Amino acid sequence: MNKYKNSTVYQIYVKSFCDSNGDGIGDLNGIRSKLKYIKSLGVDYIWVTPFFCSPMVDNGYDVSDYKNVNPMFGSMADCEAMINEAEKLGIGFMFDMVFNHTSSEHEWFKKALEGDKKYMDYYIFRDEVPEWTASFGGSAWEFVPSLNKWYLHLFDPKQPDLNWENPEVREELKNVVRFWKGKGVKGFRFDVLNLISKPESFNLPSGSAHTFCKDGRHVHEFIRELVTDTGIENLITVGEMASTTLENCIKYTNPENHELSMCFSFHHLKVDYKDGNKWALMPADLKKLRNLFKEWQEEMSINGGWNAVFWCNHDQPRIVSRFGDEGKYWKHSAKMLGTFIHMLRGTPYIFQGEEIGMTNAHFKEISDYKDVEAINYFNIMLENGISERDALKVLSERARDNGRTPMQWNAEKNAGFSDGEAWIKIPENYININVEVEEKDEDSILNYYRKLVKLRKDFAVISDGDIKFIDTENEKVIAYRRTLGNEVLTVICNFSSNSEHVKNIAHNGKVLISNYETNHNFEILRPYETVVVKF
Ligand code: TEU
Ligand code: CA
């Protein structure tokens, strides 16, 4: 039995959440100052993205010291105070462990580059290598002339991959987990955890490095060892699983295997990638979206797996801009999208700003973008003959920076995020889309999210029920049914800006929540309408 069935997690991207000292960069004391707000959402945990020592090539996902706080975010004392103050409010922190790779500035890698054999074996150095591409573009191998060898990096060259086959590496990483657990951290998110076990031989064809490393030969053993040896089996743990399979996610999360409480998968966030290419635009394929959720939700349920369910994180564009509508139906579509996720079987994650309906950034110039991935792919697109205008259009929909603009707290200067100039531009709509405005509006997206979080606590059918998708005979309307004993919950979501006819939806029962106050009709749904009925 998974203990986190009725929990909800709030994700903080520290650099953009709240700046306490006016340097334009969010920090740990900023988080401390907003703990009461987070508590008011009703959530149980906060996943905070990495704030450890880092040269920030990938905004902290390149760690140079796992056991120290990057001074740009605060001190160890601030960190301890943050953990303790949250605990007093009944909120547990989940820290983000980036264990697939380190920064090239990490002591271990520096020693490896000096030719120290012990540390060279912490990484993956080879004399001959296949033609593999890295996630941020370019080759996945970097040549070191002084060693006459290549090293593997699935992401940036400044993020060399660790060699998990080496037991000493595994011990080092366990010590990091033990260290933070000792400070009172209540759970962990593990970055790209299904990429840690690499192939035995690198005599392989060319292609994307991810493809050859995902769900590798020892990944399940390594995870079990990490979790059991550090005594975190009973804490909340979530693995970020890149390009994984359903079968593996069942194994990662079925309690019988003693691996993780839950995992993130991303297939549902690729339904608008043309031919699977993130940098090629296409409207969302709703049929595919529905079928993916149907398959994953139903199979995880039947086989004892557990999902982390989400639309947004710091790597994704904003969901209201993506599968919803920023204009006329901004409020309705944001609420519908929230309902769809929060009524699913799994533990929902809310990414900062999602609860107020924050939108994409609408950056106009390449200099507005800060992410290494966005800048690399802009150049790759230009090299491939795409016009600057078209490349900027792609970035405006796909760049990770869309999810990384500062939290919009109020309509004052810098959206209340900072007294100084923010490290990245703030969307102009902060005047209307912000926490302060929505606190005052009973019908706001913010107050609606609070209700969603509470419903999961109040109704066991939401936290614990089985799930079956309903065939509405209209691909624009996705509906599912949750069942627990003789309690039945029907969730209906119209993903379109038109009225839509649907079939097969039973309509007796009580409306638990909806984004339209009255006149619910179960044959015609209004634009972006959602209704949750219980009987
Ligand atoms: O992301 C891993 C990952 O594979 C993606 O979500 C990735 O950002 C996307 O596919 C690129 O198009 C994790 C972190 O969440 C991300 O911020 C880091 O950049 C990455 O790992 C490397 O640590
Ligand atoms: Ca700061």
Side-chain angles (χ1 to χ4, degrees):
M1 157 70 181
N2 193 307
K3 289 195 304 185
Y4 308 104
K5 289 188 168 178
N6 70 4
S7 301
T8 300
V9 182
Y10 189 76
Q11 184 196 348
I12 291 183
Y13 193 69
V14 52
K15 203 175 176 186
S16 297
F17 190 61
C18 180
D19 172 22
S20 70
N21 61 357
D23 64 358
I25 296 170
D27 47 48
L28 302 186
N29 285 337
I31 297 176
R32 286 169 68 189
S33 74
K34 297 294 182 186
L35 286 172
K36 287 216 173 70
Y37 167 74
I38 298 167
K39 177 73 190 169
S40 81
L41 301 173
V43 302
D44 307 275
Y45 294 94
I46 297 171
W47 151 28
V48 56
T49 55
F51 52 83
F52 315 109
C53 290
S54 162
M56 300 295 281
V57 170
D58 186 18
N59 270 337
Y61 283 92
D62 48 325
V63 181
S64 57
D65 181 353
Y66 289 102
K67 298 182 190 166
N68 270 305
V69 177
N70 186 338
M72 91 197 282
F73 296 128
S75 66
M76 187 60 83
D78 299 336
C79 177
E80 288 165 352
M82 175 182 88
I83 297 170
N84 295 335
E85 287 163 18
E87 186 165 358
K88 281 193 194 117
L89 294 171
I91 297 175
F93 264 102
M94 297 165 72
F95 281 6
D96 200 332
M97 301 287 107
V98 189
F99 285 172
N100 174 70
H101 44 265
T102 67
S103 157
S104 54
E105 313 256 303
H106 195 289
E107 272 312 296
W108 304 336
F109 195 70
K110 285 194 200 158
K111 287 186 186 150
L113 285 187
E114 286 162 11
D116 184 328
K117 291 269 175 316
K118 173 181 154 90
Y119 290 99
M120 280 177 73
D121 199 32
Y122 272 39
Y123 296 89
I124 299 164
F125 284 94
R126 289 290 180 278
D127 297 326
E128 278 175 52
V129 297
E131 270 182 51
W132 282 358
T133 50
S135 197
F136 298 155
S139 170
W141 298 95
E142 183 82 357
F143 188 65
V144 184
S146 62
L147 299 171
N148 200 27
K149 287 182 192 301
W150 305 82
Y151 70 83
L152 178 65
H153 61 88
L154 298 187
F155 296 89
D156 191 83
K158 296 204 160 75
Q159 293 168 297
D161 278 52
L162 283 164
N163 175 20
W164 275 71
E165 308 299 318
N166 178 351
E168 284 180 73
V169 168
R170 304 204 295 276
E171 276 318 307
E172 297 267 19
L173 299 176
K174 285 178 213 167
N175 283 333
V176 176
V177 170
R178 292 180 185 119
F179 176 81
W180 290 114
K181 187 183 168 219
K183 297 263 180 210
V185 165
K186 294 289 184 289
F188 295 93
R189 181 250 187 197
F190 294 101
D191 192 54
V192 288
L193 193 59
N194 68 327
L195 298 179
I196 56 177
S197 176
K198 308 300 193 270
E200 190 167 12
S201 140
F202 287 89
N203 191 3
L204 289 163
S206 52
S208 132
H210 265 66
T211 326
F212 298 99
C213 300
K214 66 173 190 185
D215 305 320
R217 62 208 161 109
H218 294 134
V219 67
H220 293 283
E221 283 163 53
F222 291 164
I223 295 178
R224 196 173 316 133
E225 182 185 313
L226 174 72
V227 168
T228 47
D229 287 5
T230 55
I232 58 167
E233 218 192 310
N234 289 318
L235 303 190
I236 182 168
T237 53
V238 58
E240 187 204 25
M241 304 306 185
S243 319
T244 187
T245 62
L246 174 55
E247 198 189 4
N248 274 294
C249 284
I250 292 166
K251 280 199 197 152
Y252 292 130
T253 62
N254 186 314
E256 284 170 14
N257 293 338
H258 308 281
E259 296 183 35
L260 303 167
S261 336
M262 62 194 83
C263 56
F264 292 116
S265 64
F266 295 88
H267 303 281
H268 65 294
L269 295 172
K270 295 180 180 170
V271 298
D272 52 359
Y273 289 9
K274 196 170 174 203
D275 306 319
N277 176 4
K278 170 170 176 174
W279 309 101
L281 302 180
M282 180 185 97
D285 180 340
L286 291 175
K287 197 165 168 187
K288 198 164 163 190
L289 184 73
R290 182 225 179 229
N291 290 341
L292 276 166
F293 271 110
K294 175 181 160 59
E295 188 192 0
W296 278 72
Q297 285 279 307
E298 293 181 2
E299 291 297 317
M300 289 291 263
S301 176
I302 293 164
N303 296 293
W306 193 254
N307 283 300
V309 288
F310 70 106
W311 288 127
C312 298
N313 67 29
H314 62 291
D315 295 332
Q316 298 293 330
R318 292 286 181 180
I319 200 62
V320 71
S321 308
R322 191 176 181 181
F323 297 168
D325 173 15
E326 279 188 17
K328 187 169 170 203
Y329 297 113
W330 168 70
K331 208 188 239 189
H332 282 95
S333 64
K335 289 179 179 177
M336 182 281 289
L337 290 161
T339 311
F340 181 81
I341 288 294
H342 284 256
M343 295 297 111
L344 286 172
R345 179 179 177 279
T347 300
Y349 283 65
I350 301 170
F351 178 56
Q352 65 181 52
E354 178 186 341
E355 78 278 18
I356 56 169
M358 274 177 62
T359 67
N360 278 349
H362 300 293
F363 289 157
K364 303 261 178 324
E365 287 165 59
I366 188 63
S367 58
D368 294 337
Y369 290 93
K370 302 294 169 210
D371 181 19
V372 56
E373 186 196 52
I375 295 161
N376 288 353
Y377 274 96
F378 179 73
N379 292 324
I380 293 172
M381 284 189 274
L382 296 192
E383 280 161 26
N384 290 341
I386 295 173
S387 71
E388 191 171 321
R389 195 168 147 261
D390 288 351
L392 284 172
K393 165 90 176 125
V394 172
L395 291 190
S396 75
E397 288 194 34
R398 294 290 151 85
R400 304 194 295 182
D401 284 332
N402 284 305
R404 298 178 177 186
T405 61
M407 181 69 182
Q408 296 170 191
W409 294 104
N410 57 42
E412 285 154 42
K413 191 170 153 250
N414 299 317
F417 160 73
S418 172
D419 291 336
E421 200 189 329
W423 70 278
I424 189 169
K425 266 198 187 167
I426 302 178
E428 284 157 17
N429 61 26
Y430 77 88
I431 302 287
N432 304 313
I433 303 178
N434 66 62
V435 172
E436 198 176 280
V437 166
E438 296 196 29
E439 286 286 7
K440 290 180 197 142
D441 172 10
E442 212 192 308
D443 183 46
S444 64
I445 299 167
L446 174 60
N447 283 317
Y448 190 93
Y449 263 76
R450 287 181 169 132
K451 286 180 200 149
L452 290 173
V453 174
K454 188 165 183 301
L455 283 173
R456 175 166 290 265
K457 293 258 182 262
D458 291 348
F459 294 97
V461 66
I462 299 173
S463 54
D464 215 11
D466 291 336
I467 187 159
K468 270 276 182 206
F469 277 66
I470 300 167
D471 184 4
T472 64
E473 297 182 31
N474 178 340
E475 65 186 46
K476 302 271 168 59
V477 181
I478 310 183
Y480 53 85
R481 194 156 279 149
R482 309 285 317 273
T483 330
L484 185 72
N486 46 21
E487 283 187 78
V488 183
L489 193 83
T490 306
V491 181
I492 313 152
C493 297
N494 180 4
F495 280 73
S496 113
S497 56
N498 298 313
S499 290
E500 298 288 340
H501 287 261
V502 289
K503 295 207 171 121
N504 304 327
I505 294 179
H507 51 272
N508 44 344
K510 178 177 169 247
V511 174
L512 285 191
I513 192 164
S514 172
N515 56 355
Y516 284 81
E517 258 171 50
T518 51
N519 299 330
H520 300 105
N521 168 326
F522 299 88
E523 271 142 32
I524 305 171
L525 290 161
R526 289 161 283 189
Y528 294 105
E529 180 166 1
T530 182
V531 202
V532 179
V533 190
K534 183 176 169 294
F535 52 83

